Amino acid sequence: MSTQDEFERLDCSAVIADVWLMLDGECDDASRARLQRHIDDCGSCLAAYGIEEKVKSLISRKCGGDHAPESLRQRLTIELRRTIVITSTKTDN
């Protein structure tokens, strides 16, 4: 594996943490391309991306175009990360 390939490899937890940035269009083109390559190659990250995308879409539809309060976004982010950690721990055993 080349040094460039090693640099391009992303840890799944890093990808999941940055999915919201990607969905919100808040990452640069290079980061978006790296994230997208990982998601395209990793089934579990693709599934997580799909869930995050559906949550974002649901919030957008139900809030009628209003932005969700920052406190709601923070609570959802914490809960989603906690769920991911718990799921990862259970599957690792």
Side-chain angles (χ1 to χ4, degrees), residues 24-79:
D24 290 340
E26 296 177 358
C27 58
D28 60 45
D29 291 338
S31 296
R32 181 178 191 75
R34 276 196 313 272
L35 289 167
Q36 190 62 56
R37 277 193 300 274
H38 180 94
I39 289 168
D40 291 344
D41 293 339
C42 179
S44 62
C45 285
L46 178 61
Y49 174 80
I51 291 168
E52 300 285 352
E53 189 174 39
K54 288 178 184 174
V55 167
K56 181 175 174 51
S57 175
L58 178 65
I59 290 171
S60 177
R61 279 195 323 267
K62 296 302 179 183
C63 291
D66 294 335
H67 293 283
E70 184 60 29
S71 60
L72 173 61
R73 182 177 175 180
Q74 289 172 353
R75 287 194 324 254
L76 285 172
T77 300
I78 290 168
E79 193 60 34

Side-chain angles (χ1 to χ4, degrees), residues 9-29:
R9 285 184 53 111
L10 295 174
D11 181 78
C12 291
S13 61
V15 172
I16 300 305
D18 289 342
V19 162
W20 280 95
L21 293 175
M22 188 172 156
L23 288 171
D24 290 340
E26 296 177 358
C27 58
D28 60 45
D29 291 338

